[in-house]
Structures are given as C-alpha cells and as structure tokens.
Amino acid sequence: MKQTIFITGTSSGLGKASAKYFADQGWNVAATMRTPEKETELNNYPNIKVFKLDVTNLEQVKSATEQAIATFGKIDVVLNNAGMGTYGALEFAKEEDIDWQFAVNTRGPINIIRAFLPHFRSNNGGMFINVSSFMGLTTAVPLGSLYNMSKFALEGLIEGLYYELKPLHIELRLIEQGGSTDNNFKENMTWNVNPEITDYDELTEKIKQLMNNHDPALRDDTMDIVKVIAGLANRESNQFRTVIGNAGNALMALRNSVPIEDYLEKIAANYN
Ligand SMILES: NC(=O)c1ccc[n+]([C@@H]2O[C@H](COP(=O)([O-])OP(=O)(O)OC[C@H]3O[C@@H](n4cnc5c(N)ncnc54)[C@H](OP(=O)(O)O)[C@@H]3O)[C@@H](O)[C@H]2O)c1
C-alpha cells in the first residue's frame, strides 16, 4: 500500500524539496504551509494535497491533521520541518520574538506530535522525523542563543519522548542539518536590534557577514538532506540522530573531544 508523509513548512527550502521528492518516489504527501493560496507548484502533483497550517495555531493543527487523515486514510510518517531563526543580542529581543522562536521551533513540533499520537496509537505505529540542526546539539554562531535554545529544547523533547513512545512502536528521528543550498532561512530570519547601543555592533557585523558570505561549499545539497530523510522514512537507516555534512560532523567531533570550557574558547576565538 502507498505510504503517506505529512510535512510542515513546505512553502520553501527543505520542506518543499522533501514534498516533491517523496511524491516522485510514489508516496502520498500532505504538504502543509501557512499560505497555500500562494502555492503554484505542489498542487500540480496528483499525489500531493496541500493544507493550510501554521504550526503555532492549534485550530489549524487540528483541522490540517484531521483533513490529512481523512484524505489519505493513514499517515505513516510526519516530518516536523517548519522552523525559523531569531538572531541578535538577547538583550534587544522583543518579548514576542522570544516567544515566537520557541512557538515555531519547539512548541510547533509538540503541537504536531500531540495531534498525531492518537492516530499513530490506533495504527500501532508511526514515525516522527524532526528537523533540528547541529545548533541543537552544540553552539557555534554568536548571537544565536534563542535559536540554540529552541533546537536544544527540541532535542530534549524528542529524546525524552523516546521512552514513552517506544512501547507503542512509534519511532522518533532527528535530522541535524547545518544549512542547505536552497532555502529562505536567511530571508525569514528576525534580527534583534537596538540602534542606540553599539556594544554588540562589531560581533553583529561579523555574524551578518558570515551569513551573507556563507561559503556554498559548507552548505549541504538540499537533495542530500532530503535523501537522508527518505532513508529514515523508508527504514534504510534507523539512526536516532543523523548529523549531516562535513561542517556539522567536524563541529560535533570537536565538541565531543574537548572539555566544554575549551570548546567555548575555541569557538569564541573565531570571532575575536
Ligand atoms: N537553512 C539553515 O541554515 C538551517 C540550518 C539548520 C537547520 N535548519 C532547519 O531546517 C528547517 C527547514 O528550514 P529551511 O532551511 O528549509 O528554511 P526555509 O526555506 O526558511 O523553510 C522554513 C519553512 O518553515 C515555514 N514556517 C515558518 N514558520 C512557520 C509556522 N509558524 N508555521 C508553519 N510553517 C512555518 C516557512 O514557511 P513561510 O514561508 O510561511 O515562512 C518555510 O516553509 C527548519 O526547521 C530550520 O530551523 C535550517
């Protein structure tokens, strides 16, 4: 029987590429996004159905999950992909931006997982694949503490859930990516600013430059990440965490090989 995947955040980047790839591989795809009225490509696939979903909106979570289940009968895999970044000095972050970072990247997956658990329990199984970042396992980019917070929390959530979902045959996976060749992540970022205080200006300038000049060679081909996700969905791999790319793996190797104090100093020295 045809398998079905439910994906959040399919308007661009990894989510959109995943929707197309799974559809091309013969899966049914429930492709969800905040603005389905703008979508022109995914609607053309006979096996993709687009649903409106802001992962922070509980009414939309309920209706999108119910509609997807009603349309396809059974959802086999859920890809929690939607996410965004709030960067800049913590001191300048607006209250609503702090909450929004958590709401989208952490509370969003919680909302989706809770909505699908009754369905997965009644199916005696299912899989949640969660797009995190190696920024969820370690730190490397100054002024990204809120993003780190949201993805570290996602890691804790998924690891903690393992024990209660394992007896129910519900599987959990984490994708630790570090940026792909094709996404709107930078365009969708929020920056915390305060033009009256200059203490963080030098560091901010360095990080903005780093992001603007981000060496394409350090980014992973979007399709390589999509194929890792497909390998997990198809059970070719049963890795709980998959760190993708040379940059992420090098960073994790460093993080795991030296005391945290040394790690922090080494990373900080990159920005002196
Ligand atoms: N690109 C990177 O550098 C990088 C690195 C590591 C991890 N990641 C993670 O990878 C995932 C995919 O990001 P990407 O790189 O493909 O960037 P992207 O092109 O910006 O895609 C993010 C997607 O999330 C959606 N989204 C944002 N807020 C949402 C909300 N409240 N409800 C539903 N959807 C929402 C966006 O939709 P709208 O069009 O409506 O905004 C967009 O479709 C994210 O979880 C991100 O944190 C990215």
Side-chain angles (χ1 to χ4, degrees), residues 9-14 34 53-56 81-83 100 104 131-133 147 151 177-179 183-185 188:
T10 60
S11 67
S12 63
L14 186 60
R34 291 193 289 185
L53 174 60
D54 177 330
V55 295
T56 69
N81 162 76
W100 188 244
V104 177
V131 180
S132 182
S133 164
Y147 186 70
K151 294 293 192 184
Q177 71 140 325
N183 63 73
N184 287 348
F185 192 78
N188 290 335

Side-chain angles (χ1 to χ4, degrees), residues 109-233:
I110 292 175
N111 295 339
I112 300 298
I113 289 170
R114 279 162 53 86
F116 272 107
L117 280 175
H119 181 65
F120 278 3
R121 275 192 299 101
S122 72
N123 294 343
N124 197 29
M127 184 187 286
F128 293 109
I129 304 176
N130 303 278
V131 180
S132 182
S133 164
F134 48 78
M135 295 298 111
L137 295 172
T138 189
T139 53
V141 182
L143 305 174
S145 64
L146 288 171
Y147 186 70
N148 280 128
M149 175 248 353
S150 70
K151 294 293 192 184
F152 268 63
L154 177 65
E155 297 282 337
L157 172 83
I158 300 305
E159 197 174 308
L161 263 179
Y162 182 84
Y163 307 105
E164 71 200 60
L165 298 189
K166 183 180 162 53
L168 306 174
H169 315 291
I170 298 170
E171 296 167 280
L172 295 159
R173 306 284 181 256
L174 281 154
I175 299 286
E176 321 294 356
Q177 71 140 325
S180 57
T181 43
D182 170 30
N183 63 73
N184 287 348
F185 192 78
K186 191 157 66 71
E187 292 71 18
N188 290 335
M189 276 168 93
T190 305
W191 271 92
N192 314 317
V193 286
N194 182 342
E196 285 164 25
I197 296 174
T198 57
D199 289 2
Y200 302 98
D201 280 5
E202 206 182 314
L203 193 54
T204 303
E205 203 39 52
K206 281 183 183 158
I207 300 308
K208 285 196 168 167
Q209 262 181 31
L210 176 86
M211 287 181 178
N212 287 334
N213 304 335
H214 189 29
D215 182 354
L218 290 177
R219 287 186 234 150
D220 295 300
D221 189 303
T222 306
M223 291 318 296
D224 289 346
I225 306 173
V226 171
K227 284 176 190 163
V228 168
I229 294 170
L232 295 168

